[in-house]
């Protein structure tokens, strides 16, 4: 029973994220359907969150926006986890990762925070979904490689790895069977925390006017579009904001739970 | 002394490498960008223009040369502190960027100050009333503070204080009042995050052996807290706090935009919207420089702590 209580926050967080990501499948209305006669409707059975200034269904738009924003974050994070862990393990184990030039290069690249990478990429390419995915992936992958590399180097010193070597385990077996379970929790913790941060930055940039594209629905743009109507219909701004809050909160909760341990038994 | 020298040397190498990498990235990305600065410029300036006009402009800007030569030229000029003129309004880039840098720095430093005070207050409050309802309330507030986007604070701040109450005008303040709202909005998430960390650290320190020893000596709980636990807890947080100052310079872009303060982030976003190549390169260079500077500053106290510990261990 106590164990179950411990898992509840994580399960809730995962549910929220899955709901926000796949919710667009259950959207009651077409998010781009404009019907000006139905603008600023109060919430009703057909439009659960009401309608916006052009008569579009806010609930459907929020769900589609979640697909865009979370899609960027989840897709980027998946690449980051896979590539980052692979590279990190290989570099941490071999001699190749130990030379001075490589290390200072890695330090130099990771000295710049992810937000700054987003700014650099946006400033060169303009904001779009592909820019966001590329910028997010590149900035986080390098940090992940550094994290896993350092962790692997520490693990390699430990007795169990020496024992595994002595009993004749091959290098891939040592890396993936023995070391990987010990580093994966740090990797997931890192991804969860940066995922929340990324949602904030992505919606922030589209909020200040660097939209993700002309016909792309996303939470930041929804909030900034509805700011003009905050006094007449505050729901327009509050619903997407609530979903941003819930998603970031879920990522943070997941990160905390992973840090506390018990989620994955290594 | 030798360790110190190699440390300085390594930091300088890292600084140069970072700046080199960042500028080459911004040039590379600019090159493979779908929008051409020359075309964007002519679309903005002339109502009617032909292809040859754009080509001529491109030649004038030196955009038809190979990337390496462009980059070499830019670096050579940068060494003479000549970053060209803005394509958008023809102002000198260096003056524009240093003005923006001044504004951004005032916001970020003010925010850092507010954060330092806020973290100390909220963190010790969290510790003092732990396991009671104010702590639960504070923790919930802190979690909300970390999870809510800064642009929400900023826009709500304007909507409430400037539009509803008319306490402040958003545009025409001068002095500290001009930067204060932005700094407050910027510092909320930092306070929320670090005060939790501080509370946790203080609790950890209060359970250490030396705190036990101090209790045995008959020192009062508050004296142990103020003279022993808090300094120890703070010392562990200083490096990451300094790094965070650097990061918030990049993160302030959004808040500056909302408060219409022409800081560094504001300038970057502006120059992105106008495809203003010289401005983009210069702002990114300055941003990276400041970030690396903050990282280096964050490393220095860490080195000293390490050294102190090593010498302590050696003497034992």
């Amino acid at each position: 029973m106590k164990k179950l209580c411990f898992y509840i926050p994580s399960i809730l967080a995962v549910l929220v994220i899955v709901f926000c990501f796949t919710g667009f499948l259950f959207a009651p209305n077409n998010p781009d359907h404009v019907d000006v006669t139905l603008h600023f409707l109060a919430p009703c059975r057909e439009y659960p969150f009401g309608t916006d200034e052009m008569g579009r269904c806010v609930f459907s738009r929020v769900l589609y926006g979640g697909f865009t924003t979370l899609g960027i974050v989840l897709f980027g994070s998946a690449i980051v986890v896979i590539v980052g862990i692979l590279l990190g393990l290989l570099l941490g184990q071999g001699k190749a990762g130990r030379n001075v030039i490589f290390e200072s290069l890695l330090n130099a690249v990771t000295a710049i925070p992810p937000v700054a990478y987003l700014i650099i990429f946006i400033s060169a390419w303009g904001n779009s979904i592909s820019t966001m995915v590329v910028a997010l992936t590149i900035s986080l992958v390098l940090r992940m490689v550094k994290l896993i590399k350092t962790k692997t180097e520490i693990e390699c010193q430990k007795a169990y790895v020496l024992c595994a070597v002595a009993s004749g385990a091959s290098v891939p077996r040592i890396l993936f069977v023995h070391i990987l379970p010990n580093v994966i929790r740090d990797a997931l913790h890192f991804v969860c925390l940066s995922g929340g941060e990324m949602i904030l930055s992505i919606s922030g940039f589209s909020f200040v006017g660097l939209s993700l594209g002309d016909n792309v629905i996303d939470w930041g743009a929804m909030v900034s579009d509805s700011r003009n109507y905050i006094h007449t219909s505050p729901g327009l701004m509050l619903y997407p904001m609530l979903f941003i809050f819930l998603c970031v909160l879920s990522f943070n909760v997941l990160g905390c739970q992973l840090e506390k341990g018990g989620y994955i038994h290594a | 002394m030798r360790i110190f020298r190699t440390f300085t040397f390594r930091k300088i190498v890292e600084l140069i490498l970072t700046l080199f990498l960042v500028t080459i990235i911004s040039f590379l990305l600019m090159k493979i960008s779908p929008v051409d600065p020359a075309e964007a410029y002519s679309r903005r300036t002339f109502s009617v223009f032909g292809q040859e006009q754009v080509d001529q402009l491109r030649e004038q800007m030196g955009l038809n040369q190979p990337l390496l030569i462009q980059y070499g030229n830019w670096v050579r000029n940068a060494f003479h502190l000549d970053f060209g003129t803005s394509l958008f309004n023809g102002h000198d880039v260096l003056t524009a960027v240093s003005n923006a840098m001044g504004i951004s720095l005032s916001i970020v430093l003010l925010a850092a100050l507010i954060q330092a005070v806020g973290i100390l207050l909220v963190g010790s409050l969290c510790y003092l009333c732990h396991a009671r309802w104010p702590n639960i309330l504070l923790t919930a507030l802190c979690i909300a503070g970390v999870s809510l986007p800064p642009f929400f604070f900023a826009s709500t701040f304007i909507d409430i204080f400037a539009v509803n109450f008319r306490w402040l005008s958003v545009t025409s303040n001068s002095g500290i009042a001009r930067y204060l709202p932005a700094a407050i909005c910027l510092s909320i998430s930092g306070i929320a995050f670090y005060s939790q960390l501080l509370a946790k650290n203080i609790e950890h320190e209060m359970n250490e052996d030396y705190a036990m020893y101090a209790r045995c000596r008959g020192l009062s709980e508050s004296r142990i807290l103020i003279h022993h636990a808090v300094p120890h807890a703070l010392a562990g947080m200083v490096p990451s706090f300094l790094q965070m100052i650097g990061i918030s310079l990049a993160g302030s872009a959004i808040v500056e935009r909302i408060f219409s303060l022409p800081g560094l982030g504001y300038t970057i976003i502006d120059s992105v919207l106008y495809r203003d190549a010289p401005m983009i390169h210069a702002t990114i260079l300055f941003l990276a420089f400041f970030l690396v500077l903050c990282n280096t500053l964050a490393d220095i106290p860490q080195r000293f702590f390490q050294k102190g510990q090593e010498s302590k261990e050696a003497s034992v």
Side-chain angles (χ1 to χ4, degrees):
Chain A
M1 195 60 212
K2 206 174 171 192
K3 215 165 185 181
L4 196 70
C5 286
F6 186 76
Y7 283 126
I8 285 176
S10 329
I11 293 170
L12 276 181
V14 171
L15 277 182
V16 167
I17 293 170
V18 169
F19 173 74
C20 291
F21 182 54
T22 56
F24 75 104
L25 294 172
F26 313 108
N29 296 295
N30 182 357
D32 292 320
H33 179 70
V34 175
D35 188 349
V36 186
T37 52
L38 291 175
H39 68 137
F40 297 127
L41 273 190
C44 57
R45 182 184 287 268
E46 199 182 344
Y47 300 103
F49 287 172
T51 56
D52 66 358
E53 75 275 13
M54 307 231 286
R56 294 172 298 195
C57 173
V58 174
F59 185 57
S60 311
R61 287 180 71 76
V62 167
L63 292 180
Y64 273 86
F67 176 65
T68 316
T69 310
L70 273 181
I72 296 172
V73 172
L74 291 180
F75 182 65
S77 304
I79 301 177
V80 166
V81 169
I82 295 169
V83 178
I85 289 184
L86 267 181
L87 275 180
L89 282 175
L90 290 178
L91 289 173
Q93 179 267 337
K95 290 260 186 297
R98 297 263 172 86
N99 72 51
V100 182
I101 298 172
F102 182 81
E103 263 186 1
S104 44
L105 205 69
L106 202 59
N107 277 342
V109 175
T110 48
I112 307 157
V115 187
Y117 274 106
L118 285 189
I119 290 181
I120 295 174
F121 274 82
I122 289 173
S123 56
W125 283 353
N127 203 353
S128 69
I129 293 181
S130 49
T131 314
M132 274 297 176
V133 173
V134 172
L136 192 150
T137 315
I138 289 182
S139 60
L140 292 182
V141 139
L142 294 165
R143 300 205 146 208
M144 181 68 110
V145 168
K146 193 179 172 187
L147 176 79
I148 298 293
K149 178 174 168 284
T150 325
K151 281 275 167 196
T152 312
E153 275 167 10
I154 295 170
E155 294 291 327
C156 274
Q157 309 288 327
K158 290 193 179 163
Y160 74 91
V161 175
L162 290 179
C163 292
V165 173
S167 61
S170 64
V171 173
R173 191 178 157 81
I174 293 175
L175 284 186
F176 293 104
V177 180
H178 297 293
I179 296 182
L180 182 63
N182 287 313
V183 296
I184 197 157
R185 195 199 284 160
D186 290 298
L188 290 180
H189 177 228
F190 169 76
V191 160
C192 281
L193 288 191
S194 47
E197 221 169 277
M198 280 304 137
I199 293 181
L200 292 184
S201 329
I202 290 174
S203 46
F205 281 115
S206 76
F207 177 82
V208 291
L210 294 164
S211 70
L212 288 170
D214 285 336
N215 289 316
V216 183
I217 307 167
D218 82 285
W219 289 337
M222 285 181 72
V223 175
S224 85
D225 285 345
S226 55
R227 263 192 81 199
N228 300 332
Y229 313 106
I230 182 151
H231 294 288
T232 48
S233 46
L236 280 188
M237 178 173 165
L238 291 180
Y239 289 127
M241 200 56 122
L242 179 75
F243 274 76
I244 295 177
F245 172 66
L246 280 180
C247 272
V248 180
L249 186 66
S250 310
F251 272 113
N252 285 342
V253 166
L254 268 184
C256 280
Q257 293 284 335
L258 281 173
E259 198 183 15
K260 270 188 215 160
Y263 188 70
I264 289 170
H265 291 285
Chain B
M1 199 57 213
R2 229 190 81 230
I3 297 170
F4 183 70
R5 211 178 299 149
T6 49
F7 173 71
T8 328
F9 180 71
R10 245 195 39 220
K11 281 293 143 193
I12 291 172
V13 169
E14 255 174 53
L15 174 75
I16 294 169
L17 251 176
T18 316
L19 293 185
F20 171 73
L21 271 174
V22 167
T23 46
I24 202 98
I25 288 175
S26 81
F27 262 84
L28 259 177
L29 291 178
M30 209 64 191
K31 186 76 179 177
I32 46 180
S33 141
V35 190
D36 181 33
E39 205 183 312
Y41 179 76
S42 32
R43 189 160 294 159
R44 203 168 48 239
T45 350
F46 321 117
S47 47
V48 191
F49 62 92
Q51 185 57 44
E52 60 263 38
Q53 226 163 340
V54 176
D55 287 340
Q56 204 184 344
L57 206 61
R58 200 170 286 152
E59 204 164 317
Q60 244 174 43
M61 295 179 185
L63 288 172
N64 52 350
Q65 287 162 334
L67 187 68
L68 269 180
I69 295 179
Q70 273 186 52
Y71 184 67
N73 281 340
W74 185 81
V75 170
R76 206 178 44 229
N77 288 336
F79 270 117
H80 300 121
L81 289 179
D82 172 20
F83 293 97
T85 51
S86 159
L87 294 183
F88 170 58
N89 49 18
H91 289 179
D92 183 41
V93 169
L94 185 67
T95 4
V97 172
S98 45
N99 283 344
M101 197 76 188
I103 293 173
S104 274
L105 278 184
S106 355
I107 296 175
V108 167
L109 292 183
L110 201 60
L113 204 69
I114 296 174
Q115 272 170 338
V117 176
I119 290 168
L120 264 179
L121 281 179
V122 181
S124 7
L125 212 62
C126 269
Y127 171 74
L128 285 178
C129 46
H130 66 128
R132 266 178 287 168
W133 66 266
N135 182 41
I136 299 172
L137 187 76
L138 274 176
T139 311
L141 276 181
C142 284
I143 293 174
V146 177
S147 305
L148 275 172
F151 68 84
F152 173 73
F153 296 126
S155 62
T156 323
F157 195 92
I158 290 184
D159 284 334
I160 292 177
F161 291 112
V163 180
N164 279 11
F165 291 141
R166 301 186 187 282
W167 282 354
L168 59 121
S169 79
V170 183
T171 45
S172 61
N173 283 316
S174 60
I176 200 166
R178 188 174 170 210
Y179 308 123
L180 198 58
I184 292 175
C185 293
L186 201 61
S187 56
I188 290 177
S189 61
I191 293 178
F193 180 73
Y194 280 102
S195 57
Q196 289 292 302
L197 204 66
L198 180 65
K200 216 193 285 174
N201 280 358
I202 292 179
E203 207 170 319
H204 177 77
E205 296 291 338
M206 286 302 265
N207 291 329
E208 287 282 308
D209 286 345
Y210 72 85
M212 199 60 197
Y213 174 61
R215 273 186 210 114
C216 293
R217 275 162 63 206
L219 296 182
S220 70
E221 202 64 6
S222 59
R223 197 186 151 83
I224 303 174
L225 184 71
I226 294 167
H227 286 263
H228 299 279
V230 172
H232 275 98
L234 283 180
M237 286 169 55
V238 166
S240 108
F241 183 72
L242 282 173
Q243 268 180 345
M244 204 241 353
I245 294 178
I247 294 175
S248 64
L249 185 77
S252 73
I254 292 162
V255 175
E256 280 169 14
R257 188 82 195 168
I258 295 169
F259 283 102
S260 316
L261 290 167
L264 197 64
Y266 186 94
T267 318
I268 291 180
I269 293 178
D270 244 11
S271 46
V272 176
L273 292 175
Y274 300 124
R275 311 287 325 154
D276 190 348
M279 204 69 154
I280 291 178
H281 296 319
T283 41
I284 285 179
L285 177 73
F286 274 79
L287 182 67
F289 180 75
F290 187 78
L291 285 172
V292 181
L293 205 68
C294 273
N295 276 344
T296 314
L297 278 180
D299 275 353
I300 291 172
Q302 229 164 351
R303 296 285 301 185
F304 275 112
F305 289 137
Q306 259 174 19
K307 235 186 200 166
Q309 260 168 8
E310 272 162 24
S311 61
K312 239 186 248 172
E313 276 162 22
S315 68
V316 169

